């Protein structure tokens, strides 16, 4: 038996327990030091190694050995400095000498709880398998008896409606000869009581015609100023130059007041959540606003961390963030998991919807966002009875976040496909599927198939989809993936400069380039949507609920979603 | 592809005229069925216009069930028509049924002082109950139960069926006849899938496939109206959209086109009724069609129309002379039905068009969605 004194590293981890192992090549490395300097978690460091060198000099073999001290790049075995696999080292290496390699046999989660603190991170659910949405195919191809459309030639209207649509029976229309005219309409609904059809006759709820793929809620604060600015510029360009009415949601964090008062405000959905961050500034700006916002989103839940609150760490609350949010600098900003308006959907939530509606004179659609849940239909039915609810956004388990406990992200939540399908069919049974739009979020574009995911959700019954993580990856080269790569959003050390308030990091990100990529993403998704809708023979209105077009090679999914099983 | 043949006239005429027109368009249908709806009846039914007419097919057992049901419901038969079958003509594809019938009934006494709406509701409920009664074992098929309307459907070649039923014997005449020569495509040959479809005075027949069928069907079934059912054919929704927009919502006929092929925002700006159109487009969004469909139909007042989807379109042409107009899938059908017309005035409705002929077939009105 070996003596105990040589096992003095017994309580250290070996690299095999780590999720990523750094492959470093001595022969290629020039010791420039860029990799160690750039590593966001200090997982690698320059270290001295003693090398034994055998050499021979002279005309006949005369092997001799010497010992030399050389500098190497070494991966540390401190779990707090684990290699996240982001690959920034590879990116900056001039000689392809270093690269992290995923270790599928890692035991990372077993150890990442030092000090009793569970693993926390950003990103989305670490499950690289295709989601249900990703397994859906479009199988009703128009052939011979039913000519397909030409994606390049025919007129396509890829638009959706955000806001409450009145049932046709309730439209204030009057017949005047052979024409229909709009009768007397009320500016706002009556406040007498809540419940079905309580609005004053003739009140027409506000509705926006928007692009069916939206940029979901990501706040200034969670995002760096450059990232948020890039997204905002991209959205403005899409609207004003490309004619695509794309909207983005601010997340809970307000908006720069100057932008809020500008003509660009109409491209933004203002989000209010339990912390009400930014709303002091927003309320003060209302009298000076020249345009109404696209909508108001009341966040009650988030797919990535259902039932969990938000927290913007103190070190992210720099001057700009503090000003926009109306808070002191360098204090933790907690959005509680629960809302004071959450206690009763019949009263408190309804009042919240009414308050928000009233703030903009009932000219702006107001809707709640919840995390995917088995109870979504109960929420839906309450909203269906509330004539002022403008939509319901459901964020599925594959939604992303800037910071959450790993257990919340990986194990909590509801897949979006069946959640949306159940809700849609529930509305169909009530004949209200066109009245209350459903917005699907969570995992859209998870494997890069943004347009296909969006089209599949639309055919399951969604009126629109939100993307978050996908646009960070596609427009700003976010490293994060479902192998827990990078996912450092919560630390403020985002190596791409996306989710950090550190100017040394976010200056790496050029807002103009981000904006260009946003435009690229939407324009290419638009082409792909046409390529999906045209062979199905649809182009005039969005094929919401066209479930006969969908097929899946999994009988249980087909049965659950009430679509075709194909193989 | 199916072929459509509609004729509207100031005078009564035989439905055989429609069948002969269908026969000229035979290259376009495979003879898998004939559907006929006659409106504004002549012949024996001319004096029976106030009585609802039940049209259908049934077996011997089915007839007993039907008689018992109608008697219990309080309907008293006032006239009975069955075709004088020509035994020398080829039999229908699925053989001869026991009874093809059109029966005029007197309303139950309880309906004596009731409104037209109440009576229509009773007729619909009765038809649906009879359908349910005989649907499973196919002992009873009922196609319409409405005053001044007869429907006849059977599987087979239209011309052979016309001879089989002796449609030219003068016993059946009408001022409006819609006929479809069926080209069976996606669905099994089934009588309830056969056009034209009729509901409370509204009737359509269609050529084409309806790509937006499922969302439209789901929207209609959610309206809570019992007549929005069946859907053995994806084209049945066109009749129900017509019924829904005209009868239930009270829109003028031309809005049928605006609902199914809504204009774009920019196009709506050019219309005098832009504000109403915007609301209609939003609230009736699920009823938008993408074609390819040519739709021919009539409304209770006797207006006959033809319209198309906005992109793919199917063959359709309208022409005639004052007093008689025909709406056909092809020119050869028009030539057969109204040979004496001025062909230069023939009209093929395109993307934005609707052809409307008012009762009496006095003139063809060309309605355009953009310039209205």
């Amino acid at each position: 038996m070996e003596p105990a004194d040589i096992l003095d590293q017994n309580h250290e981890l070996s690299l095999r327990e780590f999720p990523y192992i750094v492959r470093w090549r001595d022969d290629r490395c020039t010791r420039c030091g860029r990799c160690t300097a750039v590593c966001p978690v200090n997982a690698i460091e320059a270290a001295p190694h003693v090398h034994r060198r055998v050499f021979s000099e002279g005309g006949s073999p005369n092997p001799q050995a010497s010992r030399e001290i050389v500098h190497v790049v070494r991966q540390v075995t401190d779990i707090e400095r684990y290699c996240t696999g982001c690959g920034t080292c590879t990116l900056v290496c001039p000689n392809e000498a270093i690269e992290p390699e995923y270790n599928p046999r890692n035991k990372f989660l077993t150890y990442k709880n030092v000090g009793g603190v569970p693993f926390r991170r950003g990103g989305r659910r670490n499950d690289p398998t295709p989601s249900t949405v990703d397994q859906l195919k479009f199988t009703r191809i128009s052939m011979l008896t039913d000519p397909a459309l030409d994606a390049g030639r025919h007129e396509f209207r890829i638009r959706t409606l955000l806001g409450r649509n009145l049932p046709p029976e309730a439209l204030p229309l009057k017949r005047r000869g052979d024409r229909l005219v709009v009768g007397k309409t009320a500016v706002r609904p009556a406040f007498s009581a809540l419940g079905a059809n309580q609005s004053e006759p003739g009140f027409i709820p506000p509705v926006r015609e928007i692009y069916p793929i939206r940029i979901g809620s990501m706040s200034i604060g969670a995002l760096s100023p450059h990232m948020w600015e890039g997204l905002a510029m991209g959205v403005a360009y899409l609207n004003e130059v490309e004619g695509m009415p794309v909207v983005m949601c601010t997340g809970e964090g307000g908006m720069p007041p100057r932008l809020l008062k500008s003509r660009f405000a109409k491209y933004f959905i203002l989000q209010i959540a339990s912390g009400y961050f930014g709303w002091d500034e927003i309320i003060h700006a209302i009298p000076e606003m020249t345009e109404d916002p696209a909508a108001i989103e009341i966040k009650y839940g988030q797919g990535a961390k259902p039932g969990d609150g938000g927290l913007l760490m103190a070190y992210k609350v720099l001057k700009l963030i503090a000003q926009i949010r109306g808070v002191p600098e360098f204090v933790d900003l907690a959005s509680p998991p629960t809302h004071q308006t959450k206690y009763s959907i019949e009263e408190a939530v309804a009042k919240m919807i009414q308050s928000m509606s009233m703030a903009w004179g009932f000219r702006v659609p107001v809707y709640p966002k919840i995390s995917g849940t088995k109870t979504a239909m109960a929420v839906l039915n309450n909203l269906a009875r509330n004539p002022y609810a403008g939509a319901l956004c459901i964020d599925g388990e594959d939604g992303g976040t800037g910071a959450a406990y790993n257990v919340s992200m990986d194990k909590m939540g509801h897949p979006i496909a069946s959640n949306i399908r159940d809700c849609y069919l529930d509305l169909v049974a009530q004949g209200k599927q066109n009245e209350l739009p459903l917005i699907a979020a969570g995992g859209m574009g998870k494997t890069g198939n943004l347009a296909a995911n969006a089209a599949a959700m639309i055919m399951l019954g969604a009126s629109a989809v939100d993307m978050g993580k996908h646009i960070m990856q596609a427009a700003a080269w976010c490293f994060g993936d479902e192998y827990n790569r990078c996912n450092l959003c919560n630390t403020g050390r985002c190596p791409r400069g996306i989710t950090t308030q550190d100017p040394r990091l976010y200056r790496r990100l050029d807002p103009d380039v981000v904006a260009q990529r946003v435009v690229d993403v939407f324009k290419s998704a638009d082409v792909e949507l046409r390529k999906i809708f045209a062979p199905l023979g649809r182009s005039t209105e969005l094929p919401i609920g066209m479930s006969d077009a969908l097929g899946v090679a999994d009988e249980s999914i087909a049965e659950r979603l009430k679509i075709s099983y194909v193989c | 592809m199916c072929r459509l043949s509609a004729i509207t006239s100031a005078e009564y005429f035989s439905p055989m005229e429609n069948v002969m027109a269908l026969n000229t368009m035979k290259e376009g249908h495979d003879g898998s069925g004939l559907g006929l709806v006659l409106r504004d009846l002549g012949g024996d039914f001319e004096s029976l216009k106030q009585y609802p007419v039940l049209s259908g097919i049934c077996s011997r057992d089915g007839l007993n069930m039907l008689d018992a049901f109608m008697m219990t419901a309080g309907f008293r038969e006032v006239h009975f028509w069955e075709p004088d079958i020509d035994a020398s003509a080829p039999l229908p594809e699925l053989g001869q049924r026991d009874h093809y019938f059109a029966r005029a009934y007197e309303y139950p006494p309880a309906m004596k002082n009731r409104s037209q709406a109440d009576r229509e509701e009773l007729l619909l409920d009765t038809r649906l109950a009879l359908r349910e009664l005989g649907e499973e074992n196919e002992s009873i098929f009922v196609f319409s139960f409405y005053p001044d309307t007869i429907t006849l459907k059977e599987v087979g070649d239209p011309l052979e069926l016309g001879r089989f039923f002796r449609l030219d014997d003068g016993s059946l005449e009408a001022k409006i006849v819609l006929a479809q020569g069926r080209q069976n495509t996606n669905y099994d040959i089934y009588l309830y899938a056969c056009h034209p479809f009729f509901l409370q005075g509204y009737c359509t027949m269609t050529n084409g496939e309806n790509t937006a069928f499922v969302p439209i069907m789901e929207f209609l079934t959610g309206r809570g109206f019992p007549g929005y059912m069946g859907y053995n054919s994806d084209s049945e929704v066109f009749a129900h959209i017509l019924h829904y927009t005209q009868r239930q919502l009270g829109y003028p006929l031309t809005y049928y086109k605006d609902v199914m092929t809504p204009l774009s925002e920019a196009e709506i700006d050019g219309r005098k009724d832009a504000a109403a159109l915007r609301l209609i487009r939003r609230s009736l969004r699920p009823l938008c069609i993408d074609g390819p469909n040519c739709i021919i139909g009539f409304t209770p007042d006797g207006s006959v129309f033809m319209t198309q989807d906005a992109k793919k379109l199917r063959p359709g042409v309208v022409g005639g002379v004052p007093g008689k107009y025909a709406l056909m899938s092809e020119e050869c059908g028009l030539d057969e039905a109204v040979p004496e017309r001025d062909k230069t005035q023939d009209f093929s409705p395109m993307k934005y068009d609707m052809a409307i002929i008012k009762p009496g077939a006095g003139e063809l009105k060309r309605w355009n969605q953009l310039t209205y």
Side-chain angles (χ1 to χ4, degrees), chain A residues 61-73:
Chain A
N62 181 22
Q64 299 172 59
S66 73
R67 290 179 185 277
E68 295 175 355
I69 294 178
V70 295
H71 286 92
V72 298
V73 172

mmCIF file of all heavy atoms in Angstrom, chain A residues 61-73:
data_model
loop_
_atom_site.group_PDB
_atom_site.id
_atom_site.type_symbol
_atom_site.label_atom_id
_atom_site.label_comp_id
_atom_site.label_asym_id
_atom_site.label_seq_id
_atom_site.Cartn_x
_atom_site.Cartn_y
_atom_site.Cartn_z
ATOM 1 N N PRO A 61 27.386 8.298 -30.992
ATOM 2 C CA PRO A 61 26.295 8.503 -30.023
ATOM 3 C C PRO A 61 26.805 8.694 -28.602
ATOM 4 O O PRO A 61 27.623 7.914 -28.125
ATOM 5 C CB PRO A 61 25.470 7.223 -30.145
ATOM 6 C CG PRO A 61 25.824 6.657 -31.470
ATOM 7 C CD PRO A 61 27.236 7.038 -31.735
ATOM 8 N N ASN A 62 26.342 9.756 -28.018
ATOM 9 C CA ASN A 62 26.752 10.053 -26.645
ATOM 10 C C ASN A 62 25.568 10.696 -25.920
ATOM 11 O O ASN A 62 25.543 11.905 -25.684
ATOM 12 C CB ASN A 62 27.946 11.014 -26.662
ATOM 13 C CG ASN A 62 28.422 11.325 -25.249
ATOM 14 O OD1 ASN A 62 28.171 10.560 -24.323
ATOM 15 N ND2 ASN A 62 29.087 12.463 -25.099
ATOM 16 N N PRO A 63 24.524 9.902 -25.675
ATOM 17 C CA PRO A 63 23.309 10.498 -25.095
ATOM 18 C C PRO A 63 23.547 11.124 -23.725
ATOM 19 O O PRO A 63 24.211 10.533 -22.881
ATOM 20 C CB PRO A 63 22.358 9.302 -24.981
ATOM 21 C CG PRO A 63 23.203 8.082 -25.060
ATOM 22 C CD PRO A 63 24.449 8.407 -25.777
ATOM 23 N N GLN A 64 23.034 12.336 -23.630
ATOM 24 C CA GLN A 64 23.122 13.037 -22.355
ATOM 25 C C GLN A 64 21.736 13.620 -22.027
ATOM 26 O O GLN A 64 20.953 13.888 -22.927
ATOM 27 C CB GLN A 64 24.123 14.196 -22.446
ATOM 28 C CG GLN A 64 25.532 13.759 -22.770
ATOM 29 C CD GLN A 64 26.403 14.975 -23.029
ATOM 30 O OE1 GLN A 64 26.543 15.822 -22.151
ATOM 31 N NE2 GLN A 64 26.981 15.047 -24.204
ATOM 32 N N ALA A 65 21.452 13.793 -20.808
ATOM 33 C CA ALA A 65 20.153 14.359 -20.405
ATOM 34 C C ALA A 65 20.361 15.692 -19.713
ATOM 35 O O ALA A 65 21.357 15.873 -19.015
ATOM 36 C CB ALA A 65 19.419 13.400 -19.473
ATOM 37 N N SER A 66 19.404 16.606 -19.986
ATOM 38 C CA SER A 66 19.456 17.870 -19.247
ATOM 39 C C SER A 66 18.031 18.233 -18.820
ATOM 40 O O SER A 66 17.052 17.722 -19.376
ATOM 41 C CB SER A 66 20.034 18.986 -20.113
ATOM 42 O OG SER A 66 19.102 19.374 -21.085
ATOM 43 N N ARG A 67 17.895 19.063 -17.897
ATOM 44 C CA ARG A 67 16.591 19.517 -17.437
ATOM 45 C C ARG A 67 16.459 21.011 -17.748
ATOM 46 O O ARG A 67 17.360 21.779 -17.479
ATOM 47 C CB ARG A 67 16.421 19.267 -15.947
ATOM 48 C CG ARG A 67 16.302 17.777 -15.657
ATOM 49 C CD ARG A 67 16.149 17.490 -14.189
ATOM 50 N NE ARG A 67 16.167 16.047 -13.970
ATOM 51 C CZ ARG A 67 15.120 15.259 -14.096
ATOM 52 N NH1 ARG A 67 13.969 15.779 -14.425
ATOM 53 N NH2 ARG A 67 15.228 13.970 -13.890
ATOM 54 N N GLU A 68 15.316 21.344 -18.365
ATOM 55 C CA GLU A 68 15.101 22.739 -18.737
ATOM 56 C C GLU A 68 13.762 23.215 -18.168
ATOM 57 O O GLU A 68 12.822 22.429 -18.061
ATOM 58 C CB GLU A 68 15.028 22.883 -20.266
ATOM 59 C CG GLU A 68 16.318 22.554 -20.960
ATOM 60 C CD GLU A 68 16.145 22.598 -22.475
ATOM 61 O OE1 GLU A 68 14.984 22.789 -22.941
ATOM 62 O OE2 GLU A 68 17.153 22.427 -23.167
ATOM 63 N N ILE A 69 13.704 24.459 -17.870
ATOM 64 C CA ILE A 69 12.427 25.032 -17.443
ATOM 65 C C ILE A 69 11.772 25.687 -18.659
ATOM 66 O O ILE A 69 12.381 26.532 -19.317
ATOM 67 C CB ILE A 69 12.624 26.066 -16.318
ATOM 68 C CG1 ILE A 69 13.127 25.346 -15.068
ATOM 69 C CG2 ILE A 69 11.324 26.818 -16.035
ATOM 70 C CD1 ILE A 69 13.416 26.238 -13.903
ATOM 71 N N VAL A 70 10.568 25.232 -19.002
ATOM 72 C CA VAL A 70 9.849 25.821 -20.134
ATOM 73 C C VAL A 70 8.510 26.363 -19.641
ATOM 74 O O VAL A 70 7.980 25.924 -18.612
ATOM 75 C CB VAL A 70 9.596 24.791 -21.256
ATOM 76 C CG1 VAL A 70 10.883 24.319 -21.875
ATOM 77 C CG2 VAL A 70 8.773 23.621 -20.729
ATOM 78 N N HIS A 71 7.961 27.300 -20.409
ATOM 79 C CA HIS A 71 6.657 27.847 -20.060
ATOM 80 C C HIS A 71 5.578 27.165 -20.887
ATOM 81 O O HIS A 71 5.730 27.023 -22.092
ATOM 82 C CB HIS A 71 6.634 29.363 -20.279
ATOM 83 C CG HIS A 71 7.398 30.085 -19.233
ATOM 84 N ND1 HIS A 71 8.741 30.398 -19.381
ATOM 85 C CD2 HIS A 71 7.039 30.522 -18.006
ATOM 86 C CE1 HIS A 71 9.162 31.016 -18.286
ATOM 87 N NE2 HIS A 71 8.148 31.098 -17.433
ATOM 88 N N VAL A 72 4.546 26.748 -20.235
ATOM 89 C CA VAL A 72 3.430 26.092 -20.924
ATOM 90 C C VAL A 72 2.134 26.826 -20.584
ATOM 91 O O VAL A 72 2.098 27.655 -19.683
ATOM 92 C CB VAL A 72 3.291 24.619 -20.485
ATOM 93 C CG1 VAL A 72 4.537 23.825 -20.835
ATOM 94 C CG2 VAL A 72 2.964 24.522 -19.001
ATOM 95 N N VAL A 73 1.095 26.463 -21.332
ATOM 96 C CA VAL A 73 -0.243 26.968 -20.980
ATOM 97 C C VAL A 73 -0.985 25.810 -20.318
ATOM 98 O O VAL A 73 -1.178 24.756 -20.925
ATOM 99 C CB VAL A 73 -1.006 27.455 -22.228
ATOM 100 C CG1 VAL A 73 -2.454 27.800 -21.875
ATOM 101 C CG2 VAL A 73 -0.310 28.653 -22.827
#
